[in-house]
Amino acid sequence: GQGVVITDVQQGAARRDTLPDGVRLTYDSLTDGQRVFKIGLTLEIRASGDAFTVTGSVTNEARGWLLTGFTGPVLNGIAADLADCPALIPEGYGKRVNRVPVPDEKQKEWQRLGNGYETGVVYPGARGTMQWFALAGREGGLYVGSHDPLHRAKRLSLRYDPSSKRFGMAVRHDFFCRSSENVAFPPVVIQPYAGSWHAAARLYRAWFDSVNKLRDVPEWARNASGWLLCILKQQNGEIMWPYTSLDKLCDVADARGLDILGLFGWAHGGHDHLYPDYHPCPEMGGAEALKKGLKEARRRGKRTIIYANGQLQEREATEFWRTVGKDIAITQRDGQTYQHTYHKYTNIPKYRFDLGCLYAQAWYDRMLALAMQANELGADGILYDQLAMMSPMACYGEGHGHPVPCMVHEVERPLFLRRIADHMRRINPEFIVMTEGLHDCALDAVSLFHGCELGMFYASSSEMLVRLRASRISDPFPELYRTVFPEVMSTVRVPAPMMDRDMVNYTCVYGLRYELESRYGPDVTYLLEGRVPDSADYVHVINKPDVAMMKATPPVEAARYMKEAIDFQRQNAAIFWHGRYVDNQGFTLTGRDLVAKGFAAGDTFGVAVWNPFQKDTPFTLEVPGYALFSASEPGRDRVEPLSPMPANTVRLLRWKRK
C-alpha cells in the first residue's frame, strides 16, 4: 500500500503531565491531516544537570497499518559556524564536516532536504560506527547520543536551513511495529559540554562502558603489527600461492615486519566464488599440504587467519544454496532477494550472490562450522568478511527466525558474532574472530578489524596537509573513533603489495596496524622478484592496484622503510600498541603543518610527531608535569628531541612523570 508520513505540525495539542524531573507528552491518536489513526505516542523529556534525556514509545492499534519508524528528537534553530564549530559524525573512523556547500558546488556530502540540506550516517555499519555526533567548538559544543544497548537501526542527521542559516540535529529510529504492538524508543541524550570535543567522546564512552564491554584479546593479537593479506587463488581460478608456498609468504612478511598472514581465496572456489563452500583445494595441494603450511607458518612466528565471507552465498552455484541458502536469503518486500555482484576480471562471468540472513539457524551453523574447520586446519583465527560493513535493512523472508518484516543487520549481528567467538574461545582461547569494516556493536566479539572504512584508506602527505587546512566540505577524522575506543585494533586498507612512506607514517602516528595485499599475479612477481608491474600487466583486472604508487618507490626501499617503522613501533609497543591514544590532549605543540598524537602509558607519555611536509620544520613541544627523556625515529634509536623535523619523517618523544 501507499506510505503515509505523519508529522508534528499535523497534530493537535498533546496531553502534558509534569514529572519530578521533566515532562511527559502524550498523543492518544495521530492524524495525517485527513485521517485519524489509532496510534498512541508518548514522549518523556527529563533533565539531569545540563543534560536532557528523551525517551518514549509508540503503540499501534491501527488495524492493517505497519509503523516503520520515528524521527525524534529533532533540534532546530542551532546557531553555529562550522568553520569554528565543525560537526563530528561517526562515519567510519570519523568525519569532520567543515562547511555547507556554496551555491552550485558539486559535492556528495550534503543531500537536499526540502529547501535545505542534510548529511548524516545510518547505524550500525561501516558508515555509522557509533551512536553519537556533536557540534564541536573550541571551548564547548553540543553532544547528541543515542544510548541504545541493543544497537538498533537509526540515522543520525545534521541539517542546515539556508534561509535562516541555522542548523538542526535529528535522530531517526527505524523499526517495524505491527498492529497491536508497542515499540519503546531508546534514550537520546542531549548535552552541552565545556572544553574540547574530547569531553563529548568521554560521555559516549562512559555510557558504552556501563552497558557493554570490549573483547579480551589474546596477547599475540595485541602484539601483532598487522598482516599480509594474500589471495591464494583468484576468482578466475588462477593459483598464485599454492599451500606449499606459505613459507615464501613468511619470507615476504618477515622482510616487512608483518606478523599475520591473512589467507583469502584459500578454498577450492577461489576468491569470491562458490561461497559459502570452503574446502581445501586439491590443485593447491589439498588439506594435508594446507595443514603443513599453517604449521610451518606458526613455527616461523607467524599467525594465520582463514577467510570466510560472513554473508555472501553464490546463487545457483552450491548444493547449500539450492537446498538451504535460497530459503534463508535476506528478502525484499517484493519477494526478490538482496543481491551483490563481484566481478574481478573482464574475461570471466559476473557472479551473483544472495545475503544469508543472520537470524537463520542454518546460516549460523554454517559459519560456526567454518570457524571450527579453520581451527582444525591449524589457523589462529577466522575473518568473516563484510560483517561490519552493511547498514541495516528490512527482511521479508519467512522462516528465518524473525518476525516478518524485520530490520536485520542490527540487534542480531553482535549476538551472531559473539556466539561464534565465545564458542571458539571455549575450544581454543587463542583463536580470534575478525571482520571487515567497523562498528561498536561488534567490540565484544571481534579482536581485530580489517579496515575498510573512512579514515583507514590511503592518506598521502598532501592529503594530510589538506586535512590540516580544513578547507573541504568534510575530511576524514580518524581521531574520533581512536579517542573513544583507543583499545580497538584495526588494520588500514591498502589494496596493493606495498605501502609508500606516506602511508607507513600515517599508520604509525595514529598507532594503527599495517596491511599489504597480494591480490593478482603481478603482485606475486613484485613481492618475490622485486619487479614493478605496468598497468598492462593487469590486463583483465577490473580494479587494478595503484601502479603509480608502486612505481614511485623502489621495492627494496618500500620494504625496508616499512620494516623500520614496524620495528620502531614494536620497540615502543608500550606506547603505540598498549598505550592509551589521547589525540592532541596533554601537550602543547607549536610548528606548522605537523601531525602530533599523544599516547599515555602509565608514568610515560609519548608524543608521535609526523612532518608530512617536504621540508624540515622547526617545532616546540611541552608536556606539563612530565620531563622529556628521549626521542627516536624509524631506523634511528637516538635523535635530538626538539631538533627540526626532517621532511616526511615520524619521531616519538618520550616523557616521564615528574
Side-chain angles (χ1 to χ4, degrees):
Q2 192 70 27
V4 174
V5 177
I6 298 174
T7 67
D8 58 331
V9 297
Q10 298 164 331
Q11 312 311 311
R15 187 169 69 252
R16 180 187 179 101
D17 297 305
T18 301
L19 304 174
D21 54 356
V23 63
R24 178 186 298 118
L25 304 177
T26 303
Y27 295 90
D28 294 320
S29 61
L30 299 176
T31 178
D32 65 352
Q34 297 179 339
R35 294 162 292 185
V36 175
F37 299 91
K38 294 184 65 177
I39 299 171
L41 174 65
T42 300
L43 298 172
E44 292 186 356
I45 306 168
R46 298 176 182 269
S48 177
D50 293 334
F52 295 90
T53 300
V54 181
T55 58
S57 64
V58 62
T59 301
N60 182 11
E61 298 294 344
R63 181 173 297 180
W65 288 92
L66 177 70
L67 305 185
T68 60
F70 172 77
T71 300
V74 177
L75 309 178
N76 288 319
I78 302 173
D81 181 355
L82 294 185
D84 296 317
C85 187
L88 302 182
I89 294 177
E91 179 178 341
Y93 253 77
K95 181 165 73 174
R96 183 185 61 211
V97 182
N98 304 313
R99 61 179 178 85
V100 297
V102 299
D104 300 323
E105 181 177 8
K106 292 183 178 180
Q107 53 85 38
K108 297 180 180 179
E109 302 300 328
W110 294 85
Q111 294 79 46
R112 297 299 308 207
L113 179 67
N115 294 322
Y117 294 95
E118 180 180 52
T119 188
V121 297
V122 175
Y123 173 91
R127 291 186 176 273
T129 54
M130 297 183 285
Q131 302 181 73
W132 72 282
F133 61 140
L135 288 169
R138 291 185 176 90
E139 303 298 331
L142 181 63
Y143 166 92
V144 177
S146 174
H147 291 185
D148 179 4
L150 297 180
H151 308 286
R152 285 168 286 188
K154 55 186 62 71
R155 177 180 172 85
L156 310 178
S157 294
L158 176 70
R159 298 171 175 177
Y160 178 67
D161 179 2
S163 62
S164 65
K165 293 183 170 54
R166 298 296 176 97
F167 289 90
M169 302 172 80
V171 179
R172 186 189 77 202
H173 309 271
D174 295 323
F175 55 81
F176 291 107
C177 181
R178 284 156 282 272
S179 183
S180 301
E181 291 183 346
N182 174 277
V183 170
F185 310 140
V188 175
V189 174
I190 304 162
Q191 184 166 348
Y193 63 87
S196 72
W197 64 266
H198 304 83
R202 289 191 292 271
L203 288 174
Y204 186 76
R205 180 59 190 265
W207 165 76
F208 183 93
D209 286 343
S210 72
V211 296
N212 287 295
K213 62 180 181 179
L214 274 62
R215 192 76 182 171
D216 185 15
V217 178
E219 184 177 1
W220 72 261
R222 290 191 294 110
N223 288 314
S225 61
W227 73 352
L228 172 59
L229 186 164
C230 35
I231 296 178
L232 308 188
K233 180 180 180 180
Q234 254 296 357
Q235 193 180 45
N236 64 352
E238 179 185 2
I239 295 173
M240 294 169 291
W241 300 97
Y243 302 145
T244 53
S245 68
L246 294 192
D247 60 331
K248 295 180 181 178
L249 282 171
C250 290
D251 293 339
V252 171
D254 279 342
R256 292 154 179 82
L258 296 167
D259 297 320
I260 302 174
L261 303 180
L263 305 183
F264 288 44
W266 66 273
H268 67 297
H271 193 53
D272 289 346
H273 188 33
L274 301 185
Y275 298 167
D277 287 359
Y278 301 84
H279 307 304
C281 178
E283 294 176 332
M284 287 195 281
E288 291 307 312
L290 177 56
K291 290 179 180 179
K292 185 177 179 180
L294 295 174
K295 186 176 181 180
E296 174 63 13
R298 176 74 69 83
R299 188 193 69 78
R300 295 277 302 270
K302 303 304 173 195
R303 298 289 181 151
T304 54
I305 304 295
I306 274 185
Y307 176 98
N309 196 290
Q311 63 177 4
L312 296 184
Q313 48 173 338
E314 189 174 345
R315 292 174 57 82
E316 310 286 353
T318 68
E319 187 66 16
F320 179 89
W321 184 88
R322 287 187 288 271
T323 59
V324 179
K326 64 181 180 180
D327 296 322
I328 58 171
I330 299 177
T331 304
Q332 302 178 76
R333 185 179 179 183
D334 62 3
Q336 298 297 309
T337 57
Y338 291 91
Q339 295 178 20
H340 289 187
T341 58
Y342 291 90
H343 193 206
K344 301 296 181 63
Y345 297 86
T346 58
N347 60 344
I348 64 171
K350 182 181 294 186
Y351 297 121
R352 191 171 295 275
F353 299 82
D354 285 336
L355 309 182
C357 183
L358 303 187
Y359 273 102
Q361 184 65 37
W363 190 255
Y364 172 82
D365 291 343
R366 173 53 64 103
M367 292 297 110
L368 176 61
L370 293 174
M372 295 178 69
Q373 175 183 245
N375 183 62
E376 291 163 2
L377 288 169
D380 298 286
I382 188 168
L383 170 88
Y384 291 113
D385 207 13
Q386 301 183 348
L387 281 190
M389 293 295 298
M390 298 287 292
S391 299
M393 64 193 79
C395 182
Y396 289 79
E398 301 277 357
H400 295 182
H402 59 65
V404 179
C406 179
M407 294 301 296
V408 297
H409 277 194
E410 47 149 44
V411 299
E412 88 288 4
R413 184 160 45 176
L415 178 61
F416 180 93
L417 286 165
R418 187 169 61 249
R419 286 176 65 196
I420 293 176
D422 289 349
H423 185 101
M424 295 309 300
R425 183 166 57 186
R426 290 190 291 270
I427 295 173
N428 179 359
E430 295 291 294
F431 189 91
I432 70 169
V433 169
M434 293 179 60
T435 192
E436 178 192 33
L438 185 74
H439 49 65
D440 65 7
C441 56
L443 299 187
D444 62 350
V446 175
S447 295
L448 174 63
F449 288 89
H450 169 32
C452 190
E453 67 281 337
L454 191 70
M456 294 297 100
F457 298 120
Y458 177 74
S460 66
S461 57
S462 59
E463 160 68 15
M464 291 307 297
L465 293 174
V466 172
R467 293 186 194 180
L468 292 171
R469 304 285 189 274
S471 58
R472 296 183 295 201
I473 287 179
S474 69
D475 288 306
F477 193 68
E479 290 82 352
L480 192 66
Y481 205 94
R482 283 292 283 137
T483 296
V484 179
F485 295 111
E487 310 94 325
V488 171
M489 300 186 303
S490 176
T491 70
V492 293
R493 187 68 193 272
V494 183
M498 60 85 71
M499 263 193 196
D500 67 7
R501 189 180 181 98
D502 287 354
M503 192 60 191
V504 169
N505 288 339
Y506 178 87
T507 307
C508 181
V509 79
Y510 281 98
L512 301 168
R513 310 300 164 119
Y514 296 82
E515 177 193 81
L516 295 183
E517 295 190 12
S518 173
R519 304 180 65 85
Y520 303 105
D523 300 345
V524 178
T525 306
Y526 175 93
L527 291 170
L528 293 182
E529 301 175 13
R531 178 183 177 276
V532 180
D534 293 315
S535 183
D537 293 325
Y538 298 92
V539 57
H540 294 298
V541 174
I542 293 174
N543 294 307
K544 299 174 175 60
D546 188 342
V547 174
M549 179 179 71
M550 297 165 69
K551 287 179 175 292
T553 305
V556 172
E557 169 61 20
R560 181 196 65 78
Y561 187 68
M562 185 178 197
K563 188 172 190 305
E564 279 187 355
I566 289 177
D567 289 346
F568 169 67
Q569 281 195 300
R570 201 185 306 277
Q571 292 161 7
N572 297 284
I575 293 173
F576 282 116
W577 294 345
H578 307 310
R580 179 170 56 88
Y581 174 92
V582 296
D583 192 37
N584 62 358
Q585 302 295 285
F587 65 92
T588 302
L589 172 78
T590 60
R592 180 175 171 80
D593 295 330
L594 297 176
V595 179
K597 302 302 171 187
F599 298 83
D603 290 336
T604 302
F605 192 88
V607 181
V609 183
W610 173 27
N611 176 15
F613 207 49
Q614 298 307 310
K615 65 178 182 180
D616 293 0
T617 301
F619 73 103
T620 63
L621 183 60
E622 296 180 358
V623 181
Y626 287 76
L628 178 63
F629 72 90
S630 69
S632 59
E633 298 170 359
R636 300 178 66 198
D637 290 339
R638 291 181 180 275
V639 298
E640 185 63 32
L642 297 177
S643 61
M645 281 290 299
N648 209 0
T649 296
V650 169
R651 179 180 299 170
L652 177 66
L653 295 91
R654 291 174 288 271
W655 309 68
K656 277 288 186 184
R657 195 188 309 273
K658 292 180 180 178

